């Protein structure tokens, strides 16, 4: 519980209505989208503007009270669970689009803005913001920036970091900094904008962002390629890229995921296929027609059993929606769904999927795999029950083995979900001891009292088994 002197001053900053420490508010902000993680904060605050954020941080810095900033809490790495208590700062009141600059093709907005609302707004103006995390109907732009979210269009267009060109942020001291701006070129000193994107709320609280917009593609086409041979699907991914074609979307679903998605979305997918690739290309009409025809030829040459092209935009949207619903569909199977995030070089996708299947069988757990094949980002997803401690232990052991397999194949422990609490024990294996020390030094420079989202990214100790495995 916060000292009354602190709670009273917080109410004085935002008003009585916007600071809460009742039991209901504390419980509803004690968890995020990550299963099996929960920790009560001591208070919840809803700032209205940057000055209030600065005043809140100055006060919490004075009393050394932890603060976790958050949007909708859709992250899957435990990034917004207040594991050391303190204050949860909810950014939803700061949700305005401040400007869309049609001359510079930029948008400046506040962090609490809903992602889908923003995308719909700029599309209504005839512009395009490509990052499209599956959570965009719920998530906020600020949360996307904090976690550097990806999405289905990442292969061709990149992820959130590729579109954030300027930030306003408040340091732990309460000082306000501005990085970047409406500039397409800026090499003045260290790139603090890129450093803050994906920093998971551990370096500063983002209060404003300037995003790059681009012209929308003139046309697009969507196709499905279905395989009885997993390697055929994997080879297709490599062959498409080798042929110098970069699709807008290149998604992978394994057989267990196909079955669950089809049962959920009633698409009539062939249930006897080992894998399906969902492929979309966009751009000038002539280019799209040429690329889709070439991709279809590549799929057939890699022994695709069937190749089908969506007849119209409605059918294409249905296919894409089905892919986006994979997590929701899988969540219907068991009480607890753990969606993970391992990335390998795309040439290693087949090996990684087979490794996941072998690991799941060895640990006697159910793991379905889908993900962004075009950039090697797979989402092995366990369906389990948090009430079964013995099974959960096996699931956790399986995911340790999956991360180990990803690293062994030249991959990484997370491609788009972030480190947060869940991946912290594995980070040192990926970046090494020296890398961890550099990151700790950066954290110390921004937040010497460690009040900003403490307990995240940096684990108290690395996984012993994983560290030994490196030797």
């Amino acid at each position: 519980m916060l000292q009354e002197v602190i709670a009273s001053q917080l109410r004085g900053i935002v008003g009585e209505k916007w600071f809460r420490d009742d039991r209901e508010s504390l419980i509803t902000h004690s968890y995020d989208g990550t299963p099996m993680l929960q920790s009560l904060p001591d208070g919840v605050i809803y700032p209205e503007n940057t000055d209030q954020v600065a005043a809140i941080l100055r006060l919490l810095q004075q009393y050394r009270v932890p603060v976790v900033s958050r949007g909708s809490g859709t992250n899957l790495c435990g990034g917004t669970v207040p594991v050391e208590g303190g204050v949860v700062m909810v950014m939803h009141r700061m949700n305005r689009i401040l400007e869309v600059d049609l001359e510079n093709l930029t948008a400046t907005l506040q962090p609490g803005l809903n992602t889908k609302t923003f995308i719909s707004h700029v599309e209504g103006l005839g512009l395009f913001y490509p990052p499209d995390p599956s959570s965009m109907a719920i998530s906020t732009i600020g949360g996307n920036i904090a976690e550097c979210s990806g999405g289905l269009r990442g292969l061709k267009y990149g992820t959130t970091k590729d579109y954030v060109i300027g930030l306003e942020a408040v340091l732990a001291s309460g000082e306000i900094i501005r990085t970047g701006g409406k500039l397409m070129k800026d090499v003045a000193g260290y790139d603090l904008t890129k450093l803050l994107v994906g920093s998971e709320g551990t370096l500063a609280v983002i209060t404003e962002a300037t995003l790059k917009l681009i012209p929308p593609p003139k046309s697009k086409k969507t196709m499905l390629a279905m395989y009885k041979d997993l390697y055929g699907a994997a080879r297709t991914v490599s062959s498409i890229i080798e042929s110098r074609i970069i699709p807008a979307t290149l998604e992978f679903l394994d057989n267990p995921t196909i079955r669950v998605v089809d049962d959920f979305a009633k698409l009539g997918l062939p249930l006897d296929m080992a894998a399906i690739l969902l492929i979309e290309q966009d751009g000038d009409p002539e280019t799209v027609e040429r690329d889709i025809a070439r991709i279809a030829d590549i799929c057939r040459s890699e022994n695709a059993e069937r190749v089908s092209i969506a007849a119209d935009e409605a059918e294409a949207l249905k296919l894409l929606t089905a892919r986006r619903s994979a997590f929701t569909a899988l969540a219907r199977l068991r009480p607890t769904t753990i969606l993970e995030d391992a990335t390998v070089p795309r040439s290693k996708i087949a090996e990684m999927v087979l490794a996941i299947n072998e690991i799941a069988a060895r640990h006697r757990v159910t793991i379905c795999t889908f993900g962004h094949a075009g950039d090697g980002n797979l989402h092995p997803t366990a369906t389990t029950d948090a009430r079964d401690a013995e099974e959960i232990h096996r699931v956790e052991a399986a995911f340790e083995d999956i991360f180990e397999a990803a690293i062994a194949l030249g991959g990484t422990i997370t491609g788009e979900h972030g480190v947060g609490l869940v991946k912290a024990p594995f980070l040192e294996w990926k970046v090494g001891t020296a890398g961890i020390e550099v990151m700790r030094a950066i954290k110390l420079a921004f937040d010497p009292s460690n009040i900003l989202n403490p307990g995240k990214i940096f684990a108290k100790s690395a996984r012993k088994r994983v560290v030994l495995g490196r030797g």
Side-chain angles (χ1 to χ4, degrees):
M1 178 177 291
L2 285 177
Q3 299 175 46
E4 182 52 36
V5 64
I6 302 173
S8 176
Q9 291 183 69
L10 290 173
R11 290 189 182 94
I13 293 169
V14 295
E16 188 76 22
K17 178 181 178 182
W18 301 110
F19 174 78
R20 306 289 296 275
D21 56 3
D22 58 280
R23 190 74 174 167
E24 181 180 9
S25 296
L26 301 185
I27 290 174
T28 53
H29 293 86
S30 64
Y31 59 90
D32 56 27
T34 321
M36 301 186 300
L37 293 176
Q38 187 171 21
S39 180
L40 282 178
D42 298 301
V44 182
I45 198 163
Y46 304 81
E48 183 182 27
N49 54 51
T50 301
D51 288 341
Q52 288 187 357
V53 173
I56 292 165
L57 288 179
R58 280 195 297 272
L59 178 67
L60 298 181
Q61 166 85 356
Q62 177 185 345
Y63 289 96
R64 302 293 192 267
V65 175
V67 55
V68 179
S69 58
R70 62 171 280 169
S72 298
T74 56
N75 77 86
L76 296 166
C77 65
T80 49
V81 177
V83 288
E84 296 190 14
V87 173
V88 170
M89 186 187 296
V90 184
M91 307 303 287
H92 281 171
R93 292 179 72 200
M94 298 178 65
N95 59 6
R96 291 184 297 130
I97 297 174
L98 303 175
E99 178 192 50
V100 176
D101 185 335
L102 297 179
E103 293 184 347
N104 289 302
L105 295 188
T106 63
T108 301
L109 48 85
Q110 294 181 311
L113 181 66
N114 173 262
T115 307
K116 190 171 183 179
T117 298
F118 172 66
I119 290 175
S120 298
H121 181 79
V122 297
E123 288 181 351
L125 298 173
L127 294 169
F128 187 37
Y129 177 70
D132 64 337
S134 296
S135 61
M136 67 178 176
I138 305 171
S139 66
T140 63
I141 290 290
N144 296 169
I145 294 172
E147 300 294 338
C148 191
S149 300
L152 272 64
R153 297 192 284 243
L155 171 61
K156 182 172 183 176
Y157 292 102
T159 60
T160 299
K161 68 178 184 294
D162 299 303
Y163 294 88
V164 181
I165 56 176
L167 290 172
E168 177 191 78
V170 184
L171 303 178
S173 62
E175 295 172 283
I176 300 169
I177 63 170
R178 282 190 169 273
T179 72
K182 298 179 182 179
L183 308 169
M184 294 302 114
K185 287 184 177 179
D186 182 3
V187 294
Y190 297 136
D191 191 341
L192 296 180
T193 305
K194 290 292 188 288
L195 181 58
L196 292 178
V197 176
S199 63
E200 306 185 25
T202 62
L203 300 182
V205 176
I206 293 166
T207 51
E208 187 179 300
T210 299
L211 307 179
K212 179 176 70 175
L213 306 175
I214 61 176
K218 294 179 180 175
S219 68
K220 61 184 176 183
K221 281 204 167 185
T222 305
M223 61 183 290
L224 281 181
M226 308 165 201
Y227 299 82
K228 289 189 174 178
D229 169 27
L230 184 65
Y231 273 99
R235 283 195 306 268
T236 298
V237 174
S238 298
S239 297
I240 291 171
I241 305 301
E242 284 177 3
S243 67
R244 308 293 191 267
I245 299 173
I246 305 297
T249 296
L250 181 43
E251 297 289 303
F252 169 89
L253 291 82
D254 73 353
N255 179 271
T257 309
I258 294 169
R259 291 174 174 273
V260 175
V261 167
D262 189 68
D263 182 57
F264 177 74
K266 311 299 181 189
L267 291 171
L269 297 174
L271 305 183
D272 59 338
M273 295 294 165
I276 283 180
L277 293 178
L278 171 64
I279 305 167
E280 186 171 78
Q281 181 60 304
D282 62 14
D284 292 331
E286 300 80 7
T287 303
V288 171
E289 291 292 340
R290 184 193 64 212
D291 285 355
I292 286 291
R294 177 67 183 130
I295 291 171
D297 288 342
I298 291 171
C299 294
R300 294 187 186 99
S301 71
E302 297 293 356
N303 300 320
E305 291 286 317
R306 288 171 52 191
V307 176
S308 63
I309 298 173
D312 51 35
E313 189 171 340
E315 186 177 341
L317 182 61
K318 191 175 180 181
L319 293 173
L320 288 168
T321 301
R323 161 58 187 89
R324 291 184 195 282
S325 69
F327 176 66
T328 306
L330 289 169
R332 300 162 71 222
L333 297 181
R334 302 282 305 278
T336 307
T337 307
I338 303 176
L339 190 156
E340 273 301 350
D341 172 35
T343 299
V344 294
R346 49 194 168 217
S347 62
K348 301 293 185 182
I349 285 175
E351 289 177 60
M352 189 64 204
V353 173
L354 291 175
I356 291 169
N357 292 343
E358 185 276 324
I359 290 167
R362 175 154 40 91
H363 290 281
R364 294 177 289 114
V365 296
T366 300
I367 296 181
C368 303
T369 301
F370 59 95
H372 317 300
D375 44 31
N377 185 200
L378 296 172
H379 294 310
T381 303
T383 54
T384 181
D385 187 341
R387 296 166 297 186
D388 186 338
E390 192 276 334
E391 183 177 89
I392 290 297
H393 176 74
R394 285 187 278 114
V395 168
E396 290 181 338
F399 276 124
E400 283 195 24
D401 287 350
I402 287 172
F403 300 145
E404 188 173 14
I407 294 288
L409 291 171
T412 184
I413 59 173
T414 174
E416 61 181 3
H417 288 181
V419 175
L421 198 61
V422 174
K423 302 288 182 63
F426 304 98
L427 182 60
E428 184 172 335
W429 189 28
K430 171 58 183 170
V431 304
T433 303
I436 288 285
E437 290 309 311
V438 170
M439 291 185 186
R440 285 189 186 279
I442 292 171
K443 167 69 172 173
L444 187 64
F446 274 83
D447 180 22
S449 300
N450 191 31
I451 67 166
L452 292 175
N453 207 5
K456 310 299 166 53
I457 296 182
F458 304 106
K460 292 179 180 176
S461 63
R463 297 281 191 194
K464 291 181 180 177
R465 188 172 64 81
V466 173
V467 174
L468 288 172
R470 295 184 67 224

